[in-house]
Amino acid sequence: MTLKGVVGLVVTYLDAAATTRVDPRVADVVMHWMTEDFGNAGSRTHEYGTRAKRAVQQAREYLASTVGAESDELIFTSGATESNNIALLGLAPHGEQSDRRHIITSAIEHKAVIEPLEHLQTRGFEVDFIKPGSSGRVSVEAVLERLRPDTLLVSLMHVNNETGVIQPVAELAGHLRETPTYLHVDAAQGYGKVPEDLSAPIDMISISGHKVGAPKGVGMLVTRRRRWDRLPLQPIMFGGGQERKLRPGTLPVPLIMGLAEAAKIFQKEHKQWSRSAAELRSRLLNALTKTRFQINGDQDHAVPHILNLSFDGVDAEALIVRLKQHVAVATGSACTSASYTPSHVLTAMGLPEDAAENGLRLSWFPSQAADLDVEELAEMIAEMQPDSA
């Protein structure tokens, strides 16, 4: 996908980890449920409401199946941030009542996990923030060795939003399922991309639609039963009783239908998406051999569409300005991009200060970056490096 810059140049979109374009096929579905079948799924007295309710249930069944869950184990939210808050803050009362106030997480989580956990620290919870080392991958052993009788929860992201490194959530789920400790996974970046992991017995999974071609403003939280018991979540908002009282409010039927359509498309086209993403990655890295750079994160455990690079002698912010009329890129999470402090992810990985301050994230949907001129991009970066020819 391209935009025209202020001087008429083509700008290629390389910030898919922040958001993707809504797939036109998804937009058609959303528009239908906004302008034709526009009923409220909570309306019980007429056909408009009945059709909306039936459609939402079908969407719920399909979306739950994509992670191997039952339809009544899924609640719709506004996105992964809200899902994270419901999972973490909603479990806190059970921890307080059972005197289990220990939580394990990683130091590379998204702020949508870190900040709710920091809030819980003010309520007397003890939170262990594991640093992953230079690989950017938290080991299962590092988590298990911190387990205690009072450990309420482990929260570990599926795919890191800055480095693309895949965390061992499926293996961890197998270890934790027979313990009293619950597992929460923020899968905003991993949903659809590494589908087999999320069918593992993970207790709670947070998902955001706009990373897979759905509209912004819709997501879901999977809350798997343990045997026959529902998770002891308490609501953090009140009013209306929708979504088992965990997420009250009128269901956004058009967005839910868009999320389901996007998931269907992504599932159907996943193999081609993965191949194309890997091909672009290979072309990009091959072109960048004319520059001096390091890849941040374990490339043996990484998704094919995210690269975090530090270029020798190049200030990342200056580089973004230089590239602005050619490619849309970022230094890290869109939620913290207004801050010019070093990346908390790269810092937690123990990278040198210069590398942590100047990591550049390139991320793409293949169909939205097919026009990328990798040679031109490499040349512009090389020109900014000291002693370049």
Side-chain angles (χ1 to χ4, degrees), residues 61-113:
E61 290 171 358
Y62 172 74
L63 289 165
S65 75
T66 64
V67 293
E70 300 296 325
S71 62
D72 65 349
E73 295 175 322
L74 184 151
I75 67 170
F76 290 112
T77 68
S78 63
T81 294
E82 184 181 18
S83 297
N84 291 339
N85 275 264
I86 294 171
L88 302 174
L89 303 183
L91 192 61
H94 176 70
E96 292 165 336
Q97 294 160 11
S98 61
D99 199 26
R100 294 166 58 209
R101 299 169 186 252
H102 179 236
I103 297 173
I104 301 170
T105 189
S106 81
I108 59 170
E109 299 298 307
H110 192 280
K111 294 295 185 180
V113 166

Side-chain angles (χ1 to χ4, degrees), residues 67-68 169-171 173-174 177 195-203 205 224:
V67 293
V169 295
E171 182 183 352
R177 192 62 172 177
E196 60 276 6
D197 283 355
L198 300 183
S199 292
I202 300 165
D203 296 296
I205 305 173
R224 278 195 178 90

Side-chain angles (χ1 to χ4, degrees), residues 16 20-21 23 25-26 62-63 66 158 187-196 198 208-214 258-275 277 303-305 364-368:
T20 63
R21 177 184 64 174
D23 189 293
R25 294 165 290 183
V26 173
Y62 172 74
L63 289 165
T66 64
H158 184 200
Q189 293 293 345
Y191 177 69
K193 284 63 172 259
V194 194
E196 60 276 6
L198 300 183
S208 205
H210 70 104
K211 311 295 187 181
V212 289
L259 174 58
E261 184 67 18
K264 290 175 184 176
I265 292 169
F266 204 85
Q267 186 177 57
K268 180 180 179 181
E269 300 178 358
H270 175 260
K271 288 183 179 180
Q272 180 58 46
W273 176 91
S274 187
R275 281 195 299 270
V303 288
H305 69 295
W364 54 88
F365 248 48
S367 62
Q368 297 173 25

Side-chain angles (χ1 to χ4, degrees), residues 115-242:
E115 291 187 8
L117 291 180
E118 289 176 340
H119 169 73
L120 290 180
Q121 286 180 309
T122 69
R123 290 170 50 176
F125 284 80
E126 179 185 349
V127 183
D128 272 345
F129 291 94
I130 300 174
K131 292 184 178 181
S134 60
S135 71
R137 182 173 161 91
V138 175
S139 71
V140 171
E141 292 74 22
V143 175
L144 297 180
E145 69 184 15
R146 288 170 170 79
L147 284 181
R148 306 184 330 206
D150 65 336
T151 303
L152 172 68
L153 175 73
V154 173
S155 183
L156 186 64
M157 69 194 333
H158 184 200
V159 172
N160 185 267
N161 53 295
E162 293 193 26
T163 65
V165 173
I166 304 167
Q167 306 299 323
V169 295
E171 182 183 352
L172 186 59
H175 286 282
L176 295 180
R177 192 62 172 177
E178 299 306 319
T179 76
T181 300
Y182 297 104
L183 175 61
H184 165 252
V185 170
D186 178 351
Q189 293 293 345
Y191 177 69
K193 284 63 172 259
V194 194
E196 60 276 6
D197 283 355
L198 300 183
S199 292
I202 300 165
D203 296 296
M204 295 181 285
I205 305 173
S206 299
I207 294 164
S208 205
H210 70 104
K211 311 295 187 181
V212 289
K216 299 171 185 66
V218 65
M220 52 192 183
L221 175 65
V222 176
T223 59
R224 278 195 178 90
R225 294 185 185 86
R226 285 208 168 189
R227 296 185 175 87
W228 296 276
D229 297 328
R230 288 195 183 278
L231 300 185
L233 292 175
Q234 295 295 318
I236 61 173
M237 298 193 310
F238 302 88
Q242 293 91 342

Side-chain angles (χ1 to χ4, degrees), residues 256-389:
I256 289 170
M257 300 310 295
L259 174 58
E261 184 67 18
K264 290 175 184 176
I265 292 169
F266 204 85
Q267 186 177 57
K268 180 180 179 181
E269 300 178 358
H270 175 260
K271 288 183 179 180
Q272 180 58 46
W273 176 91
S274 187
R275 281 195 299 270
S276 298
E279 288 170 2
L280 179 54
R281 182 191 194 90
S282 179
R283 288 198 299 114
L284 182 58
L285 287 174
N286 186 60
L288 289 173
T289 56
K290 65 184 64 176
T291 71
R292 302 187 303 280
F293 69 93
Q294 71 176 45
I295 304 178
N296 301 318
D298 180 359
Q299 296 306 288
D300 291 331
H301 300 91
V303 288
H305 69 295
I306 298 177
L307 272 175
N308 192 294
L309 308 171
S310 295
F311 293 93
D312 183 30
V314 177
D315 177 83
E317 295 296 334
L319 180 56
I320 288 174
V321 172
R322 171 71 176 88
L323 301 176
K324 191 172 183 179
Q325 298 303 324
H326 301 273
V327 293
V329 295
T331 54
S333 170
C335 298
T336 57
S337 61
S339 171
Y340 296 139
T341 57
S343 159
H344 77 278
V345 172
L346 302 185
T347 299
M349 289 166 58
L351 299 186
E353 184 177 354
D354 184 62
E357 288 181 344
N358 293 301
L360 186 74
R361 183 184 68 184
L362 308 178
S363 56
W364 54 88
F365 248 48
S367 62
Q368 297 173 25
D371 61 307
L372 176 64
D373 187 332
V374 294
E375 297 297 335
E376 180 185 40
L377 176 60
E379 287 286 352
M380 287 190 290
I381 296 171
E383 289 171 0
M384 292 192 67
Q385 292 192 302
D387 304 318
S388 60

